[in-house]
Amino acid sequence: MANAFRIIIALLIFMPVFSSWAGQEECRETVKQATACFYFDIATGHKYIQNSDGTYMEFSKKGDLLKNNLPNTMPLLVSGKYIRPLADGCFLLYERYEAGNHIQKVLPADQNHPGGWLAKDVLALVP
């Protein structure tokens, strides 16, 4: 019984030391940053455009500005499951319903959002 009590006391003494040592390793990891000029979220249809200071603006699928000055370290942009960087040669598919007709339009990713259209998907040229 005395040995078990000594082991428990020793563990209680050394646990903070080991957890502090393990926590320092996480601090050494580099912070990932978004670097592309444009990103597109295929789940929501939101478009992210880089500002001149490295932050991002978020636009809805309708083209409305939702947020400005989003940090480039935001987890959604850095490691989001549905986020796609848009490079040169990428296009966005826009849709609109007009008088019961389904109309689609494809525009380069760097062009402004057309009024009255919904961003639906990203298209890329395959070499």
Side-chain angles (χ1 to χ4, degrees):
M1 183 71 171
N3 286 338
F5 184 68
R6 288 181 188 150
I7 291 173
I8 291 173
I9 295 298
L11 286 175
L12 290 174
I13 291 172
F14 290 113
M15 274 309 242
V17 173
F18 290 130
S19 65
S20 172
W21 178 67
Q24 290 176 356
E25 188 66 30
E26 292 175 6
C27 294
R28 291 185 204 137
E29 292 181 17
T30 57
V31 177
K32 294 181 181 179
Q33 294 182 348
T35 57
C37 293
F38 303 100
Y39 286 94
F40 186 76
D41 187 342
I42 58 173
T44 62
H46 291 190
K47 185 177 177 182
Y48 299 86
I49 301 174
Q50 188 176 36
N51 293 324
S52 59
D53 62 353
T55 60
Y56 285 85
M57 295 183 293
E58 179 181 7
F59 291 90
S60 71
K61 67 168 52 178
K62 293 181 179 181
D64 301 328
L65 178 64
L66 297 176
K67 296 177 187 170
N68 198 358
N69 297 324
L70 292 171
N72 60 357
T73 57
M74 189 170 73
L76 176 70
L77 291 176
V78 174
S79 60
K81 185 176 177 181
Y82 299 106
I83 292 290
R84 302 294 184 262
L86 301 177
D88 292 335
C90 285
F91 296 88
L92 291 178
L93 174 67
Y94 296 95
E95 291 182 348
R96 179 168 78 177
Y97 292 95
E98 199 173 83
N101 295 327
H102 181 242
I103 305 168
Q104 294 181 331
K105 179 189 284 193
V106 177
L107 295 175
D110 59 352
Q111 259 191 356
N112 290 338
H113 192 101
W117 293 79
L118 299 176
K120 286 294 187 178
D121 208 352
V122 62
L123 306 170
L125 295 175
V126 179

